[in-house]
Amino acid sequence: MASQPPSAPLCSESLDDDLKTVSELRRVKLPSMPSSDLEHLFRKLPAVIRAYGRFKLLTLEARQNRLLAPLDPLEVSKDSPPPEEHPKSEKKFWGDQETLSKIPFKILRGHKDLVSSCSFCADDTKFLSCSHDGTLKLWDAVDGFVIRDFDHKPKAPVLECSVTADSRRIITASYDKAVKAWDLETGKLLWKINYETFIASCKVSPDGKYVVSALDVDRAICIMDAENTTTVSYIKNHHNRSLTACCFDPDSQKVASVSLDKSIKIWDITSQATLLTITKAHFGAISNCCFTFSGHFLCTSSWDKTLKIWNVHTGEFRNSGACATLMKGHEGSVSSCHFSRDTSVLVSGGFDRTVAIWDVGEGYRKLSLKGHSDWVTDVAISNNKKWVLSASKDKTMRLWNIEEIDEIPLVIKCKKALGLKVKQCEVCDRPFCNYESDIFSETVTKCVFCRMDAKGSLTEVSSSLGGEDSPSQECSPTAND
């Protein structure tokens, strides 16, 4: 048997480590063995066992350090409870707009099917919505929660809801051919009227005296007394094709209606006559209409992807057609439109799932609000122009805050690109824009609406002085065919 080679001499550093290990082993594992014997035994141990001994020492030191760590006032133990976190502020949600056009909004969920109509009420502190799920809801505009669910039975899809100017009464139309009146404060059903035909649209007058319904089969409008439900006017075959929408003017004396036949009609309740007819007003079916707060202008939205503004006060459309055509705002059919109270802003919704905000005076789109995942069916704007409300086929509504829209970089960039300068009308105090490159820009001191009103007044005066007869009740614009 061959003899083993002699062990290599230990260096002083290794010897110190070994002695330290031996001392630790003596203290922990072998307290009864003499120190000299333990040292002699350890030197004869193989290298693997010596390494194990050093590893044991490191383990013991680590355990000791862990036990002593809580004694350090600056040390945070892993076993101690985590420090109390301060509540973080809720993150604001933003829409799917372009990078420079972020607008804060709230998503309002509560309906289980397409939201068909929405409108502000109670001084913009509340708003109404109705849906094809057969429900009518009153919401808190500040917190975004439902205040009341109206007991709308049977659960037929609700097509439209509108509210009086004093926010006391609500009118709804549903697919079961019924029109209902509700008390907004109590939620009580006041009365119900059933028709024999489908109801395409239904509105209550601002003063709460009348209710108008657009009826499908008869292509008629029916105006009735809101108190006793007696019929005031029933105009059958008012249009050549099915009606799509109707609305009252702010004075509650006129009713505008639009149709699939591309025409616009305005009916006067007092004289029981059609005041005007505009045929071929659009290239496609007209989907909706709304008056300005003054009642001098009417906006129509169409499946031809455009909106048009008509001067129905002076009859100027008879010679020159619409006074403004708003284009390149939607990539699909325009479903709805609504003026702000001061007429400076127009809001529209479309089947392209967007909400467009228009500068009415200059006729350009300020901003496109994106975020809905399906058609935008209806829009509304608050009286203070701070909030825009949109309803959609995606079963939700969105409440957009547009208070600082003119501070958005994309809007500023658009104005600069168009060369627009903001001024204030000397007549109505409304802000309006004109082009800085226009050599007459400094002489223009009135907004487009006051200028058109002044022009219409001069035309009427000159016509009366010339002995000309007033225009007939029905006329089609030649320039817009």
Side-chain angles (χ1 to χ4, degrees), residues 177-191:
K177 305 175 184 177
V179 174
K180 299 177 182 179
W182 308 81
D183 185 279
L184 186 142
E185 185 176 357
T186 64
K188 181 182 177 181
L189 178 65
L190 301 177
W191 51 257

Side-chain angles (χ1 to χ4, degrees), residues 103-115:
I103 290 287
F105 66 87
K106 294 180 182 178
I107 300 178
L108 306 168
R109 296 181 174 90
H111 290 289
K112 299 178 181 179
D113 205 336
L114 177 150
V115 186

